[in-house]
């Protein structure tokens, strides 16, 4: 069986990230990603679901290591550039 997922839009990208945070147990009032970080994830991933999640996960890990209280667009770009194995162009 073969199934191809189509690229997600900006809203769907945000919803996917928020869904995964909830499934992982995140119960905070504010999401850890700023609006510019969500835009950056969408732009870098071009809506590809697997890449969306990889970039978001890497940004969270980098943010944790840096002690960031919020994942912003700059941190997202930096983590994608350094940790996504060249998948992001």
């Amino acid at each position: 069986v073969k199934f191809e997922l189509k690229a997600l839009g900006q809203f769907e990208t945000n919803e996917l990230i928020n869904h995964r945070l909830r499934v992982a147990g995140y119960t905070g009032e504010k999401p850890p990603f700023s609006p510019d970080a969500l835009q950056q994830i969408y732009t870098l991933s071009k809506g590809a679901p697997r890449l969306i999640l990889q970039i978001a996960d890497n940004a969270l890990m980098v943010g944790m290591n840096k002690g960031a209280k919020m994942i912003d667009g700059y941190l997202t770009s930096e983590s994608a550039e350094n940790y996504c194995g060249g998948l992001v162009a």
Side-chain angles (χ1 to χ4, degrees):
V1 176
K2 184 178 178 180
F3 186 79
E4 185 176 326
L5 292 175
K6 295 183 181 182
L8 303 179
Q10 176 71 60
F11 177 78
E12 297 164 317
T13 297
N14 298 356
E15 288 298 307
L16 175 60
I17 292 168
N18 289 327
H19 171 74
R20 292 296 296 248
L21 287 168
R22 285 190 303 274
V23 167
Y26 182 76
T27 58
E29 289 181 28
K30 288 185 172 183
F33 293 96
S34 70
D36 62 320
L38 293 171
Q39 176 63 46
Q40 192 68 14
I41 291 169
Y42 173 69
T43 300
L44 292 169
S45 69
K46 298 179 178 103
R50 187 175 297 187
L51 197 49
I52 290 166
L53 298 175
Q54 185 178 15
I55 293 168
D57 184 56
N58 288 330
L60 285 170
M61 287 191 289
V62 170
M64 182 185 68
N65 286 333
K66 290 186 172 200
K69 295 189 185 291
M70 175 70 65
I71 307 300
D72 62 14
Y74 176 77
L75 189 70
T76 301
S77 294
E78 177 186 346
S79 65
E81 183 179 309
N82 292 327
Y83 298 101
C84 285
L87 295 175
V88 178

